[in-house]
Amino acid sequence: MGSGMRTSAIALLLPAVLLSGASGSNSGAHLLAPGAPDPSVAQIKFSYENTQLQPARYVLTVGENGSGRYRSEAGSQPPADKSELPVRGQDREIRISQATREKMFQIAKASRYFAIDCDGGGNHVAFQGTKTLEFRGAEGQGSCTYNWTKNKQIQLITDDFQAISLTLEEGARLDMEYEHSRLSLDPELELLAGFAKQGRAIELENIAPVLEKVAKDDAILKRAQRRARELLAIAKDE
């Protein structure tokens, strides 16, 4: 993982000011758009794009029943550290804990199901990516696209979606490192543990399988096994 200065990690350390629907933001939308949602289940969808980061695009959908889906697309930017493994796109089902999804749907309701102007405006804010929140359900529907926001509730839900994405991307990286670069596991797990303690990585249960593999493999550094067990404990408490 090198120095830990990966762009995907840095993105979540910055303020959640990712992007407004600029004219170039639809490239790859056909690759990422989830299938038609089940009309009986209310859903919130968060879309993100910044071609300077990894992943360059992702769509994260959360159903009110806890179901979810994550689709990401790797960008063309090469890793800053040539020793890093390449980022791969994902397309997988996920589960969202009751506490997280209840918070998200409460925010959606309080925010008129995102049928609002949530962009903070102003040209003084650096471009950091495009993000769009969308709600569809029996209660209503709406969407808003923004580069940054002054709305504290929109900021909170944005932070949660970004934290889930970071968890899933770290899980995919741990899987690759387990297969191809086991010496990288310990620093990667240390980084993830730090994010988890800060609340910047959540819903760790979705990457429990790779954490369990590491925790049970006695051929791996004891310290890495311990970190994996600690992360599994956090996952169970979420």
Side-chain angles (χ1 to χ4, degrees):
M1 202 208 70
S3 64
M5 295 296 287
R6 238 182 1 263
T7 50
S8 59
I10 294 171
L12 277 102
L13 290 172
L14 294 169
V17 284
L18 304 169
L19 76 64
S20 173
S23 60
S25 65
N26 290 328
S27 61
H30 62 290
L31 298 175
L32 295 170
D38 181 346
S40 67
V41 178
Q43 292 187 328
I44 298 172
K45 182 171 73 173
F46 179 77
S47 306
Y48 169 76
E49 178 176 356
N50 187 338
T51 57
Q52 299 302 308
L53 300 181
Q54 293 287 9
R57 303 175 185 87
Y58 66 82
V59 174
L60 210 166
T61 306
V62 173
E64 196 168 21
N65 61 357
S67 63
R69 191 163 200 91
Y70 181 70
R71 298 175 185 234
S72 68
E73 179 182 333
S76 59
Q77 293 289 330
D81 184 340
K82 293 183 179 180
S83 67
E84 289 186 14
L85 294 171
V87 174
R88 297 175 182 171
Q90 297 188 58
D91 183 356
R92 56 167 297 185
E93 293 182 357
I94 57 174
R95 294 294 302 177
I96 303 300
S97 67
Q98 182 175 351
T100 296
R101 67 179 186 264
E102 284 183 353
K103 174 184 173 184
M104 287 180 166
F105 280 85
Q106 286 170 1
I107 290 174
K109 183 177 181 180
S111 303
R112 294 170 48 197
Y113 303 111
F114 311 128
I116 59 174
D117 181 4
C118 55
D119 188 71
N123 297 322
H124 60 287
V125 179
F127 174 78
Q128 294 181 347
T130 301
K131 41 190 188 305
T132 298
L133 282 164
E134 182 178 354
F135 180 93
R136 292 188 180 275
E139 303 93 332
Q141 65 180 45
S143 67
C144 62
T145 299
Y146 49 110
N147 177 51
W148 74 289
T149 184
K150 298 177 182 177
N151 187 312
K152 292 182 179 179
Q153 294 299 301
I154 297 298
Q155 185 65 67
L156 284 173
I157 195 171
T158 300
D159 290 345
D160 280 350
F161 274 113
Q162 288 184 294
I164 295 170
S165 173
L166 178 59
T167 295
L168 298 172
E169 292 299 326
E170 283 295 308
R173 182 169 292 276
L174 289 170
D175 254 327
M176 287 193 291
E177 289 175 345
Y178 183 82
E179 296 298 328
H180 305 292
S181 181
R182 293 192 175 190
L183 290 177
S184 300
L185 285 169
D186 185 49
E188 197 76 47
L189 288 163
E190 182 181 17
L191 179 68
L192 179 56
F195 283 136
K197 290 175 182 177
Q198 297 163 14
R200 296 181 182 273
I202 63 175
E203 301 301 315
L204 294 167
E205 190 66 31
N206 288 290
I207 64 168
V210 66
L211 294 175
E212 289 170 352
K213 281 195 301 185
V214 174
K216 294 176 181 178
D217 191 338
D218 290 333
I220 290 174
L221 286 173
K222 298 298 182 186
R223 187 170 53 198
Q225 287 184 282
R226 184 180 69 251
R227 294 192 202 280
R229 287 193 293 268
E230 290 171 352
L231 287 164
L232 285 168
I234 293 174
K236 290 178 182 178
D237 289 338
E238 287 183 326

